[in-house]
Every structure is written in C-alpha cells, then in structure tokens.
Amino acid sequence: MKKILPLLLLIISYNAMAQKRIGNETDAQKKKRMEWWTDARFGMFIHWGLYSGAARHEWVKHNEKIDNAGYQKYFDQFNPDLFDPHKWARTAKAAGMKYAVLTSKHHEGFCLFDSKYTDYKATNTKAHRDLIREYVNAFRAEGLKVGFYYSLLDWHHPDYTIDEIHPQSPADKSDASYAKLNKGRDMAKYRQYMRNQITELLTKYGKIDILWLDFSFPRKDGHGKGKDDWGSVELLKLIRKLQPGIIVDNRLNLEEYKDGADFETPEQVSTAELAKYRGKTWETCQTFSGSWGYYRDENTWKTHRQLLDLLITSVSNGGNLILNVGPTARGEFDYRANNALDSLATWMHANSRSIYDCTFAPDKFKAPEGDKLTYNPKTGRLYVHLYYYPISGTLTLPGYAGKVRYAAMLNDASELISKPSDTNPQDLVLTLPAKKPGYEIPVIELTLQ
Ligand code: GLC
C-alpha cells in the first residue's frame, strides 16, 4: 500500500487537474458546436502581412533581428494593388475548402484590420482600407466559414516585453540584460491591448466561426510566455462571451483545463505522425513549402501527391487539414500556390465524398497494403484510396466478402464487378478499370451491407 499510495495520489490529482473547467458546456453541446467544422475537414490558412513584402519568411523580423525602424520600409511599401478577396474565396471554394483563417495580426504586430488601438494597420498604408472586412465579406459571400488568426506575440508593441524569441532578445540571455531592455515595458497594458483588439475582431465583423490564437512558449527562467502573460483564462471567457459559437485552437497554454481549447493543432507533422491523434479533435496545419508567409526563393514545394496524402491521411485518422497560402505583397496567390490549388480542385471535384463528413474506418475493415481508408458514418460508405494502382487490374479487399453491397469508382460512379476470392473466400476481389482513372489517387466507394 505504501508504494501504491503515491501513485494513487498522482492519478487522482491528475484526474482532478484534467477535470478543471473554465465554462460549463457539456460534451454533447461541444460536439454540436463543432459539428460543421468536423464535417468540413478541409480549410485554407492565409498568412499575409508586411513580411509578404520581405518575401523571406514571416519570421524575418526575428530571423534577421530587425528593429521597428528597420522594419518600417515594409509598412511604407505595402500596396496590395492586386488584392481581390473574391478571387481568393473562389479559389478556396473550388479547391474544396470549407473554411478559411486569415492572419488579422501576425508576430510582427501589423494589423490587417482597422483597429482603434493602433496606427500600425492596413488603413494607414497605401491600401487605405480594412482588408479584414473585405476578406470577411468575400468569403462569407462564397458560403465559406470565416476565421481569424491573431498572434499573441507582438514584436512591434512598446509594452510587449522582450523574451527569448523577440527580435531584440539580448545576446547574453542574462536576467540583467532582459531587465534592462524591459524597463518601462508593461505586459498588463499589452494584455489590455489584446483584449481590446480581440473585442474589435469579434464584435465588428458579424459571426466569426474560428479564432486561431498563436502561440505560447512558457519557460522556467521566465523569458518565455504563457497563460499568465496573456491572461488566457479571462481572454477565453471574453471570447466565448462575445461569440458563443466560436471554435478556438489550443495555443493559449490552458492544457490543465478540460475546456481550455477546442482542438489540437499538430503543425507541419508527417503523415505517419497523424495516426497518434486518432480519437482526438484536431486539425493539422501545413504549408505548401515550409514557410507560412510568402517566400519567393523557397522552392521545396510539396507535390500534388504529398498534398493529397496529407488530406486523405488527416481524414483517415479523424482530423482536419488546414492548408496555408502565403499571398504576395501585391495581394495575390502566386502561380505555385494556384497550380497546387487547381490540382486539388480537380481531385476534390471528383472525390470530395471521401473527405466531407468522413473519419477513420471501423476496426473490422483493413486497408489493402499501401492504401488508406475513410468512412462516412452517416451514409455507411467506405472509401478506399488507391495509392498504388494494381497492374493486375484487380484489387483484393482483405476480409470484405459478404460486407459490401455495391462497389464503384467514386469519380464516375462506374460499377466495379466483385466476387469472393477463389483462394481465400473471406476476401473480396474487385475488377478495376483497365486504365487508371486520371486522378493521382483514385477512390473506390463501397456501399456496405
Ligand atoms: C507557428 C509560427 C507561425 C505560424 C504558425 C501556424 O507558431 O510561429 O509563423 O503562423 O505556427 O501554425
């Protein structure tokens, strides 16, 4: 007993911790609130700001240790003459995306919206207007759900204290150097600034579907930032009060609360890692090319196949994919992004039924070697994503005999003749189209018994 007691106490206190709550929503209510998002599965992230002009990573201010004066040229130059949010929205919709999240403010501190609390905003650039409002109107008009990203970090605000990752972080990392740099800076004022701005974002633009707050990096030595720096509990209460239906990410550092976040955000992880998230509520955020902001010289763009794999693997593990575009400083998606989105549009036009409303397959169905399954619990249909098109012209589905009522290609609804295998009668053998359909990863739709 002596040995077990500490263990028991640990388990009890862990459970008590996990049960801590900020609000009083039930699991069923949360499920209902999140339903549209869970069904949607695919969204567009948009990182756009002054860094788009530097065109070498949205962290350029940090990476090159630029101060406010040195960064001013990007503000002075900002002039998105080709900005057409309706075109953005149509492109997102055509690619099959159901929602979007745009950076209202990134770590650099620049606001795309007309905030009363700063001059560092789009209205004071050559754009002369509230770009967030135009985005909201355009995306809403296309029937897409609308979200805002808002950076908790702010490398421009005079009260935001200098921490480990601030561009002006001291070289020697000593407490004395931090103290010297932070003289006169007051996080309480910055917290109020954030509350004011988030209030603006959540009261001046109608119904906002998602708020993506980014990010926490608590450190023992005090030179990071976490829930106390942001006033996270109070902030989340405010957000839920202003927009009761809103969906909020998990970067406020409120892990100890059961309702401190609505979804997890595995960032830029490999498809192999996504299996770990099965059973949780999550959205993986991914770039086309490594950087979130427009990066002219970054050329390691993911292929169409890699992007499809991300989407399919997310859904086959019960999660969402939010894929990022970094528009140029002129306000356009560049040709590489457009090409990638066009290819996705072609695939989604024919195959989106294996994505929307879908999740992982019931355990009794195993994917044929190398392929991936998704499943729609509402319609009872199972989808086999053919990663490797068999040259034999047939596909064996292990243990599926007697479980399938009808088999067809998803892209053209053409029937696939099926029969139990001669050698192993539990298996079902499908005869596939002689020639691989014109999709990188074709999909079979199985209507189950
Ligand atoms: C990271 C980065 C940031 C990006 C975000 C998207 O936290 O700081 O640049 O906006 O991830 O998930």
Side-chain angles (χ1 to χ4, degrees):
M1 191 62 193
K2 252 190 186 162
K3 275 196 186 139
I4 303 175
L5 199 63
L7 191 70
L8 274 177
L9 286 175
L10 195 77
I11 296 171
I12 293 167
S13 61
Y14 176 79
N15 281 339
M17 224 170 81
Q19 288 319 116
K20 256 170 85 174
R21 282 169 172 279
I22 295 168
N24 51 16
E25 186 180 43
T26 64
D27 290 350
Q29 284 166 332
K30 177 176 176 187
K31 198 165 172 232
K32 185 101 199 84
R33 177 168 58 83
M34 305 275 301
E35 200 172 14
W36 73 262
W37 182 89
T38 310
D39 291 348
R41 290 299 183 218
F42 192 23
M44 177 181 275
F45 223 157
I46 309 174
H47 277 66
W48 194 41
L50 299 182
Y51 47 80
S52 312
R56 51 182 192 279
H57 207 285
E58 78 284 355
W59 277 54
V60 61
K61 195 172 187 187
H62 160 98
N63 294 345
E64 300 177 15
K65 302 204 171 308
I66 307 174
D67 62 13
N68 285 349
Y71 208 73
Q72 184 59 27
K73 62 182 172 189
Y74 303 121
F75 181 95
D76 297 339
Q77 207 66 28
F78 189 68
N79 185 12
D81 61 328
L82 299 176
F83 176 56
D84 179 356
H86 290 279
K87 200 164 163 195
W88 290 11
R90 283 196 302 273
T91 308
K93 189 176 178 176
M97 293 152 161
K98 298 274 197 184
Y99 60 94
V101 176
L102 169 64
T103 49
S104 57
K105 178 193 90 167
H106 203 262
H107 310 335
E108 65 180 3
F110 175 69
C111 299
L112 287 180
F113 62 109
D114 186 12
S115 171
K116 211 165 68 185
Y117 303 97
T118 185
D119 292 330
Y120 203 50
K121 56 184 176 182
T123 22
N124 290 338
T125 65
K126 295 190 175 76
H128 296 303
R129 52 204 213 278
D130 184 331
L131 301 170
I132 285 288
R133 184 168 303 284
E134 294 184 19
Y135 150 79
V136 170
N137 292 343
F139 278 68
R140 223 178 253 148
E142 287 296 332
L144 295 164
K145 300 276 188 189
V146 170
F148 295 145
Y149 168 109
Y150 182 87
S151 173
L152 300 166
L153 287 69
D154 195 315
W155 299 331
H156 177 267
H157 197 282
D159 283 307
Y160 184 87
T161 52
I162 288 171
D163 52 42
E164 187 215 4
I165 55 178
H166 192 283
Q168 275 70 61
S169 182
D172 68 359
K173 309 282 172 216
S174 71
D175 288 351
S177 299
Y178 276 111
K180 199 166 151 205
L181 284 166
N182 281 326
K183 221 167 148 224
R185 289 180 182 254
D186 183 354
M187 273 302 278
K189 284 192 190 148
Y190 176 69
R191 270 194 293 282
Q192 190 54 46
Y193 174 75
M194 278 204 293
R195 290 175 67 83
N196 290 341
Q197 287 207 319
I198 289 173
T199 301
E200 291 183 309
L201 287 168
L202 300 186
T203 54
K204 288 174 54 189
Y205 301 89
K207 185 173 187 308
I208 300 307
D209 301 293
I210 302 166
L211 187 61
W212 225 102
L213 298 165
D214 194 32
F215 64 88
S216 297
F217 51 107
R219 281 176 58 115
K220 283 211 173 67
D221 66 8
H223 303 309
K225 285 197 173 72
K227 59 178 188 299
D228 296 331
D229 303 282
W230 315 130
S232 293
V233 171
E234 292 311 311
L235 194 59
L236 191 58
K237 283 185 186 164
L238 173 72
I239 293 162
R240 298 226 183 275
K241 190 177 97 196
L242 297 175
Q243 293 268 350
I246 206 164
I247 295 175
V248 185
D249 71 338
N250 69 338
R251 296 193 177 181
L252 273 169
N253 188 214
L254 293 174
E255 295 79 9
E256 69 201 85
Y257 296 91
K258 186 172 191 284
D259 55 356
D262 287 330
F263 64 96
E264 295 189 38
T265 56
E267 177 175 333
Q268 302 275 59
V269 299
S270 69
T271 47
E273 242 180 278
L274 293 175
K276 285 202 304 225
Y277 293 90
R278 230 176 231 224
K280 300 183 171 182
T281 309
W282 58 274
E283 171 194 76
T284 182
C285 45
Q286 301 272 345
T287 59
F288 282 135
S289 71
S291 156
W292 299 87
Y294 178 65
Y295 198 139
R296 186 193 56 206
D297 297 338
E298 165 58 77
N299 284 312
T300 57
W301 283 55
K302 292 185 179 85
T303 62
H304 175 54
R305 187 177 175 86
Q306 286 174 313
L307 296 173
L308 276 185
D309 187 26
L310 276 171
L311 179 60
I312 295 161
T313 311
S314 297
V315 181
S316 77
N317 288 301
N320 286 19
L321 168 67
I322 187 161
L323 193 55
N324 180 73
V325 182
T328 68
R330 294 190 70 183
E332 278 198 315
F333 296 178
D334 94 322
Y335 68 98
R336 294 165 293 188
N338 279 326
N339 288 345
L341 290 163
D342 282 354
S343 309
L344 287 170
T346 303
W347 191 89
M348 282 295 277
H349 171 78
N351 298 299
S352 64
R353 222 147 76 196
S354 77
I355 301 297
Y356 302 141
D357 303 327
C358 287
T359 184
F360 48 85
D363 277 347
K364 61 180 173 188
F365 294 103
K366 300 284 171 248
E369 178 82 28
D371 294 339
K372 291 183 182 172
L373 300 177
T374 64
Y375 172 68
N376 184 330
K378 294 180 188 161
T379 61
R381 294 188 184 190
L382 186 69
Y383 297 93
V384 186
H385 297 81
L386 292 173
Y387 276 61
Y388 301 98
Y389 201 77
I391 38 170
S392 63
T394 62
L395 179 75
T396 302
L397 298 171
Y400 285 44
K403 297 186 181 134
V404 174
R405 190 146 53 86
Y406 193 83
M409 288 309 299
L410 177 55
N411 61 284
D412 62 359
S414 60
E415 184 185 10
L416 300 174
I417 306 288
S418 65
K419 62 173 185 53
S421 148
D422 293 336
T423 46
N424 192 354
Q426 297 102 296
D427 297 348
L428 190 68
V429 180
L430 304 183
T431 302
L432 299 182
K435 188 169 178 298
K436 179 183 173 184
Y439 300 92
E440 178 61 37
I441 300 179
V443 185
I444 293 170
E445 183 177 62
L446 300 173
T447 307
L448 299 177
Q449 288 289 7

